[in-house]
Structure formats: C-alpha cells, structure tokens
Amino acid sequence: MGGRGDDNAAYGHTSFVRSASRFTDRVTADGRDGWPVEAGRYRLVVSRACPWASRAVISRRLLGLEDALSMAIADPIQDDRSWRFTLDPDGRDPVLGIRYLSEAYERRESDPPGGVSVPAVVDVPSGKLVTNDYQRLTLDLATEWSALHRSGAPDLYPEQLRDQIDTVMAEVYEDVNNGVYRAGFATEQKEYEEACAGVFRRLDLLASRLAGQRYLVGETITEADIRLFTTLVRFDAVYHGHFKCNRWKLTENQVLWAYARDLFQTPGFGDTVDFDHIKRHYYRVHTGINPTRIVPLGPDLAGWRSPHHREELGGRPFGDGTPPGPVRAEEQVPARGRP
C-alpha cells in the first residue's frame, strides 16, 4: 500500500491499477541478490493499516523474528510525501533516523517511480531500501530466514503443500485481496459491479471450502490463511462501507465469521491488528471517495472475542510447533485500536 497524498486523492476519479513492486531484490540465506539474511541488519517498515504490510507483521511474529528483524510502524495518516514516522519521538524513526520512508527509497534510487509503499525492508547500515515486494517478502521470511526462526515456529509454507497454497493464494489475491480495491476505487458502475460480484463469488467459494476444514490448506495455519485474514479482518470496518462491498457483512456469514474469529484469537493474528489505524487510514486518506474524511464510529468490535467453535473441525494451528510468546511492550496495539 503506498502512494503520495495527491495519488490518494485521485482514487475514485481514475481507474485503479495496482502497481507492480518496483524493488524486488530478495533477502536470502545465500545472499544471491547481495542481501544475505543477517540478524539485526534489516528493518521492516510497516503500517498497521495496510493489509499487505500486515501479512509481514503477522509472519514475523508467528516465526519469532522480532530479535532478528526490527520493525518500524508508520503513521496511518500519510501526507504528500507518503508514509511518515510521526508516531516516533521527534518524528524520526529511531533506528533509521529518517522522517519519511521515501528517504530510504531515494537512497536506493533517485525519484523512484511507482510511489512509496509498505511493507518495505531497509538495509540499516546504508539506509537504502532493499525490497517492497509484498508478494515475495513473507514467503522468504518463512523459508530463507529459517535459521533465525524461534524454536517451535510453524511451517507457514510447507514444501509438500506449496502448489495448493499457491493456487489458493492466487485466487484470493485476484478476487478478494485486490478485488475489494478494484470495487472501492471503481470509476464506472460496470467496473464496480464486476469487481464487487467477484469478491462475493470468491468469498462464497471460500466459505464452502472452510465449512468442513479449519484452515485453507492442510491441517495447520499457512501463508494462505494469513493472506485471507488480512482482508477479512478489515471487511466490516472499511471494505463493506468505504469500498461499497456491501452484499453482506462478514458477521453475517456464519463460516467466514467463525474462521476469522478463530484466527483473530490465535496468538500472532489479532494481537497485531489495530482497528483505529485501519479506520483512520482508509477514511481519512482516501479523500477521492470520502472527501469529508469523517471516520465512522462502528462497527462494534466486541464480537471478535466471542467463541467460534472451529476447534471442533480438528486441525492444529501450529502443527508440531508452539504459539508465539507475549507481544513485546513496544509493539503492543494501543487500547483504542483493540476490541
């Protein structure tokens, strides 16, 4: 998720096309792109508002990479230079020493095209952006960073299931993850209706799949569940109203609502979600479709903690592993952002 202030104002006035990641270098165990996995060398920059960045936040916590990969949290409200570190003292990231994520981009390439997006991995010694490839980043955290995983970390991308996981993730991305954006930023009725219909067609298929199994692929949490969750957890709060994906609410779909609550209550998922950041970002930044910048009071978030009974379907969230420990104090979601 990225863009400058003027880009955000244009949403709803010009056709929406998601930009491909400009910087696709990978941080790998063998360092083949020039960026070897190394504890403490890189900083993950995220926004808790952004579903693409939230994938990385969840993966990092599930895998126990907090000591190996530090994390910076950007202000959910962007200005004309995009993501900024105004949540930190003096408005600077304490590790990178910069006020705007764009500064790391510019150290990599002057006047980079495609906007400034999160998640982003920055090389701390040089201050340069390494990658903003949100599609590949979490897969590499699960595989290339394995030597630095915590003891008991789950296998989020098991080799024997990768073909199935890739297929499910591709369908979820096209129709759900990106589909809500195509509906929300549509400029013509037909464009909106096609995107919105695609969102709910896929959600209906996913509900059928999940009616008889706890997780999307196999008996444990995988990358596929993370990618669906980050859209579902935002659905009623922003996509239903702000993006007009309003055939029904998540809370009205028995299977998907129970599935989402199951994940939300699993350590590593709900404890990374900040509903305050999510709502303020979407409703205040996308002035092209919400010019008043009014942030709605709802929905009621109390239901996220209610029983889901999905454990009756079997499955083991972490397989042979264990849940992550408590969230570090400096990374806890503030009370106003929690149910």
Side-chain angles (χ1 to χ4, degrees), residues 55 59 138-139 156-157 165 169 221-227:
R55 297 176 178 181
S59 296
T138 48
L139 299 180
L156 298 176
Y157 196 45
I165 293 171
M169 291 193 305
I221 291 165
T222 68
E223 175 77 14
D225 297 294
I226 295 172
R227 296 191 181 195

Side-chain angles (χ1 to χ4, degrees), residues 26 29 63 136 138-147 149 155 157 162:
R26 295 171 60 189
L63 298 172
R136 185 69 231 179
T138 48
L139 299 180
D140 283 343
L141 291 181
T143 55
E144 299 292 336
W145 289 68
S146 59
H149 290 177
D155 186 352
Y157 196 45
R162 287 181 189 177

Side-chain angles (χ1 to χ4, degrees), residues 1-2 45-47 50 52-53 74 83 101 105 116-120 132 134:
M1 181 182 288
V45 181
V46 303
S47 164
C50 171
W52 319 102
W83 299 108
L101 177 57
Y105 276 68
V116 177
S117 65
V118 289
N132 67 346
Y134 63 95

